[in-house]
Amino acid sequence: MTPVIDRVLRSFISRGRLDVVFADGTRRTYVGAPGPVAAMRILYPSVERRLIFNPGLAFGEAYMDGAVVPDGCTLYDLLDLLMTNSMGTGHAGEMVASLVRYGKRTWTQFNPASRSRRNVAHHYDLNGALYDLFLDRDRQYSCAYFPRGDETLDEAQEAKKRHIAAKLRLDRPDLEVLDIGCGWGGMALTLARDYGARVTGITLSEEQLGVARRRAAEEGLSDRVRFELVDYRAVTRRYDRIVSVGMFEHVGVGHYRQFFGIVHDILAEDGVMLLHSIGRNDGPGSTNPWIDRYIFPGGYSPSLSETFAAIEKSGLWVTDCEVLRLHYAKTIALWRERFAASRARVAAMYDERFCRMFEFYLVGAELSFRVQGHMNFQLQITRSIDAVPLTRDYMLDTERAAALSCVADNVEEPLAVGGKAPARRAPRRKTAKTGG
């Protein structure tokens, strides 16, 4: 054990208790105010040195390599303690590293079309079977919505789509909808099948594109939904509605004004957009270096202040803002359970190091919403001041009517706006398997 890391940990642990067994067998206990309790073993002296200078990157890498292991507790217990304490003053090495990350964030989030394509492929072009193991049947890889709090994952993701559809105000058939960052197609297919829209979904993931197109063909919706491998900056035609779920985190802070400028240009005069994104409650920051390197290169969770500043300069209106606080924490907790249940299959698909990487990602992501001020926000955006009604009652009425329809039919089959049946509806799928 080096004296430096001992001093660092003594100043770092201000809440809870951390027991550490160092590489030379030395045992130390670090105690602060009442809080979480955990223990860990550090297996190599080189890890101790790296943890001093860049713990945000080094700790995750050490866990992936099996060089740091929880001792008599779970990874969740250990990260809960460490992430809770990281919200304090921290230590000199991490403070310097954080300042450097913030200073160069414009470069790390510089995402021209070619770089965006590579960044998307890094995570979303993984083996599709991996996502089937822990996501819901519709492969919604974003925050679910829990109106009661006890929904299953599938129920909560269906509720999320109803929640978003209500805010889009799909008040007439055959509205032209653009889905920016359409993923595996679930939202686009839902809007076409259940709300009578004509949808164009765009993605930069070839894996997602193939699955989405196959799903549209299998559901008989290819005449109402099309999917394209297109960057949002290449879109020029106008749409009645725009929806974007879980994509804004990949835009990059230096591109926000461009993003909303394009939205302004391609949204119809009476059009409505719904933007759903992860956000941060503590103001502008930077992305954790381990997440940036291993999970979402070029990604960033924006603050509302950064987002609103860009919208204000675009000439658009924010007509509604909702903050979803713990909904993503509940979502990821369900993903973690499903991933753990299928861990052996993931290890056979990849390897043990990949499993540890993904576990670290899921645990850290959940805790970022529980103890580090992350949340989700949904912004309803328009070009015109009078594009939506004066009050938001229509959203609640539409969503409740859709939920009641699902209960009555005993299937997830929402109604269109105002409780009216959509103009055209393809047959619902009858099995849980979607092929994506």
Side-chain angles (χ1 to χ4, degrees), residues 143 276-279 322-324 328 369 374-378:
C143 176
H276 172 113
S277 174
I278 297 172
E322 181 178 12
V323 172
L324 306 177
Y328 216 163
F369 291 91
H374 273 54
M375 46 78 171
N376 273 78
F377 60 80
Q378 290 184 349

Side-chain angles (χ1 to χ4, degrees), residues 73-256:
C73 64
T74 65
L75 175 63
Y76 188 97
D77 296 330
L78 181 56
L79 283 184
D80 185 19
L81 172 67
L82 297 176
M83 292 174 68
T84 296
N85 280 276
S86 72
M87 297 302 288
T89 57
H91 64 82
E94 175 54 24
M95 290 173 66
V96 170
S98 179
L99 288 172
V100 170
R101 289 196 300 272
Y102 188 84
K104 65 177 186 178
R105 70 180 190 146
T106 300
W107 166 247
T108 57
Q109 295 173 43
F110 177 60
N111 291 323
S114 59
R115 192 173 185 181
S116 292
R117 178 81 68 87
R118 291 195 302 272
N119 289 343
V120 166
H122 177 89
H123 191 84
Y124 296 100
D125 282 351
L126 294 171
N127 189 331
L130 167 69
Y131 295 103
D132 283 333
L133 295 177
F134 71 93
L135 297 182
D136 65 301
R137 65 190 177 195
D138 198 40
R139 272 204 204 172
Q140 291 291 307
Y141 197 17
S142 58
C143 176
Y145 184 62
F146 296 83
R148 298 188 315 269
D150 62 351
E151 287 85 354
T152 66
L153 182 60
D154 285 302
E155 290 171 342
Q157 291 292 12
E158 292 292 340
K160 183 265 298 291
K161 290 185 290 181
R162 289 196 297 270
H163 198 57
I164 289 174
K167 295 182 179 185
L168 282 171
R169 198 176 181 233
L170 302 166
D171 57 351
R172 58 189 184 273
D174 295 325
L175 284 166
E176 294 284 346
V177 180
L178 175 67
D179 184 354
I180 303 177
C182 63
W184 292 280
M187 177 63 72
L189 294 170
T190 296
L191 296 181
R193 179 184 59 238
D194 300 336
Y195 296 88
R198 295 188 179 276
V199 190
T200 299
I202 60 174
T203 179
L204 294 179
S205 166
E206 294 186 5
E207 170 72 19
Q208 290 183 332
L209 177 70
V211 171
R213 284 178 170 174
R214 185 175 73 246
R215 292 182 64 184
E218 290 174 351
E219 294 198 33
L221 289 170
S222 295
D223 61 328
R224 301 191 69 82
V225 184
R226 64 187 181 93
F227 296 102
E228 303 292 342
L229 196 70
V230 174
D231 188 277
Y232 71 91
R233 286 161 283 206
V235 178
T236 56
R237 63 167 294 189
R238 280 199 167 186
Y239 290 87
D240 300 306
R241 302 289 186 266
I242 300 175
V243 62
S244 184
V245 180
M247 176 271 179
F248 191 61
E249 301 92 318
H250 303 283
V251 168
V253 69
H255 301 274
Y256 289 172

Side-chain angles (χ1 to χ4, degrees), residues 269-324:
E269 187 62 34
D270 62 348
V272 179
M273 179 190 189
L274 192 285
L275 179 70
H276 172 113
S277 174
I278 297 172
R280 58 180 67 230
N281 193 49
D282 56 353
S286 59
T287 301
N288 173 275
W290 185 87
I291 290 289
D292 183 67
R293 176 173 294 186
Y294 292 97
I295 307 299
F296 296 120
Y300 172 67
S301 300
S303 67
L304 279 171
S305 59
E306 293 170 303
T307 308
F308 271 79
I311 295 174
E312 289 167 359
K313 293 178 173 64
S314 70
L316 294 165
W317 279 87
V318 175
T319 47
D320 191 76
C321 174
E322 181 178 12
V323 172
L324 306 177

